[in-house]
Amino acid sequence: AENQALDQPLTIILRHLEMVSISMAHGIIDERIVHDSMRYFFGKIYRSAGPFIEKERTRRGDPEIYVNFERYAVKWETDPPVQ
């Protein structure tokens, strides 16, 4: 029950981060700005929410759920800052 209570706020956060990620992918938001301001937040949320993301992908039957967010979170964990 406690985990389910967090599902709704986590979904809202992930949807926002996915929209930011989509906007970066399309050049609407500069990746450098988000990287500088939210790099560690992306990584921390991604690591914490990994099981939830997988559960949502399975539940919805869509492996692309939050894939843009995931792409940036993983990239920023391993790559140096964007120039």
Side-chain angles (χ1 to χ4, degrees):
E2 186 177 321
N3 284 347
Q4 286 182 326
L6 294 176
D7 284 1
Q8 186 176 10
L10 187 54
T11 297
I12 292 167
I13 290 168
L14 289 170
R15 284 181 182 163
H16 280 86
L17 293 175
E18 181 71 0
M19 286 306 302
V20 167
S21 300
I22 290 168
S23 296
M24 283 190 291
H26 288 280
I28 297 166
I29 298 175
D30 191 309
E31 181 180 344
R32 292 169 301 178
I33 293 170
V34 181
H35 180 277
D36 288 352
S37 62
M38 299 181 72
R39 174 184 179 198
Y40 297 107
F41 183 70
F42 265 58
K44 188 171 189 169
I45 292 293
Y46 177 69
R47 286 189 303 276
S48 298
F52 176 78
I53 291 170
E54 289 305 318
K55 183 180 81 173
E56 282 298 287
R57 288 174 176 167
T58 300
R59 185 179 71 80
R60 296 194 213 173
D62 184 353
E64 299 294 306
I65 300 290
Y66 307 125
V67 73
N68 293 283
F69 163 66
E70 178 178 51
R71 188 176 302 126
Y72 284 103
V74 170
K75 175 183 176 183
W76 293 346
E77 285 284 313
T78 57
D79 287 359
V82 179
Q83 298 300 319

